[in-house]
Amino acid sequence: MIKNTAFLALLAALLTGCGPNKIIVDLPSPQGQYHVEVRKCPQPGSMSSAEQTQVSILKSGISENCQSAVNALAQFQSYSPDEQLQLEWLSEAELRAWHPGFDPKSGPASASYKADNPVKVIFAPAK
């Protein structure tokens, strides 16, 4: 029984590590100091091939792995379909982000920000 449990735990860990981990959009800021990286990632804890879309705001030349926020100035998860995600740099340090799945008052279900984040993220539809 213990061997089967250990095997299942190992299998679950391997499955969550497999799957997509690819950049689907990379949008530089107007002057190129920052960029938004949209990455298709395996959904953490899923035993299937479930995916999630990770959006990271980063300094130019830096990337962010799936399920990591070490380098991200700001990061949030988006919803499907990915084609409905709107990203627009309003200035060098201001990004507008929107998806119809976001809450109109607060944006995505959760977002993380570094304390010294110089980029303001505005969750709002296009005007």
Side-chain angles (χ1 to χ4, degrees):
M1 182 70 172
I2 294 174
K3 288 182 182 179
N4 286 341
T5 305
F7 174 74
L8 289 175
L10 176 63
L11 182 61
L14 290 173
L15 286 174
T16 56
C18 297
N21 182 0
K22 61 183 176 191
I23 297 171
I24 55 175
V25 172
D26 192 1
L27 181 65
S29 62
Q31 296 168 358
Q33 189 174 359
Y34 307 104
H35 69 115
V36 179
E37 182 180 273
V38 181
R39 187 179 285 271
K40 195 53 100 171
C41 297
Q43 189 168 354
S46 175
M47 292 293 287
S48 67
S49 60
E51 299 176 346
Q52 68 180 15
T53 303
Q54 173 178 293
V55 181
S56 303
I57 295 93
L58 302 148
K59 289 183 179 177
S60 182
I62 296 176
S63 192
E64 189 66 87
N65 290 321
C66 286
Q67 286 87 41
S68 174
V70 173
N71 298 313
L73 300 170
Q75 188 177 79
F76 59 92
Q77 305 304 319
S78 186
Y79 304 98
S80 291
D82 293 324
E83 298 79 34
Q84 292 183 347
L85 177 63
Q86 300 172 19
L87 297 169
E88 176 186 15
W89 286 100
L90 303 175
S91 70
E92 185 62 19
E94 194 170 68
L95 175 76
R96 184 187 66 79
W98 185 251
H99 189 283
F102 290 171
D103 182 300
K105 294 180 182 130
S106 59
S110 68
S112 62
Y113 304 90
K114 280 200 170 179
D116 59 347
N117 176 14
V119 178
K120 180 179 180 182
V121 182
I122 300 167
F123 295 108
K127 294 181 180 181

